[in-house]
Amino acid sequence: MRLDPSSNAGNFVMYNSVTSQLFSAPLGTSGTVIYVATTGSDSSGNGTILFPYRTIQKALNSITAGGTPYVIEVAPGVYQEDVSISGDYNIGIVGMS
């Protein structure tokens, strides 16, 4: 998967290269919010705005499958990681400005 923060101003767009599906979440999308920042920590963070996770993968690992909507808000920065998720999830990944 590839995350591209520049293709849609203010939004992250996630491309699944295997299925060519496009996932995006517009600003203002509602759901349980999980925060990610380059200053966060995967070991001591809890996904809140005060204690964000460091990686998008950690945020994805913290959600549960099913109908509960989640929004992963990603702070500006460079996130060099392989992102993987499988299952039935209702998520959006949004870039914070």
Side-chain angles (χ1 to χ4, degrees), residues 13-72:
V13 179
M14 180 186 293
Y15 296 93
N16 183 328
S17 59
V18 175
T19 63
S20 298
Q21 291 176 301
L22 173 66
F23 306 93
S24 66
L27 294 175
T29 299
S30 63
T32 300
V33 179
I34 301 169
Y35 295 91
V36 176
T38 57
T39 57
S41 171
D42 284 352
S43 59
S44 63
N46 62 9
T48 63
I49 197 161
L50 293 177
F51 302 102
Y53 292 127
R54 169 64 182 90
T55 63
I56 297 165
Q57 186 64 58
K58 177 67 174 183
L60 289 171
N61 292 348
S62 73
I63 66 174
T64 56
T68 302
Y70 291 90
V71 177
I72 299 173

Side-chain angles (χ1 to χ4, degrees), residues 81-93:
E81 60 181 296
D82 292 324
V83 177
S84 176
I85 190 167
S86 63
D88 184 20
Y89 294 91
N90 184 3
I91 62 170
I93 299 178

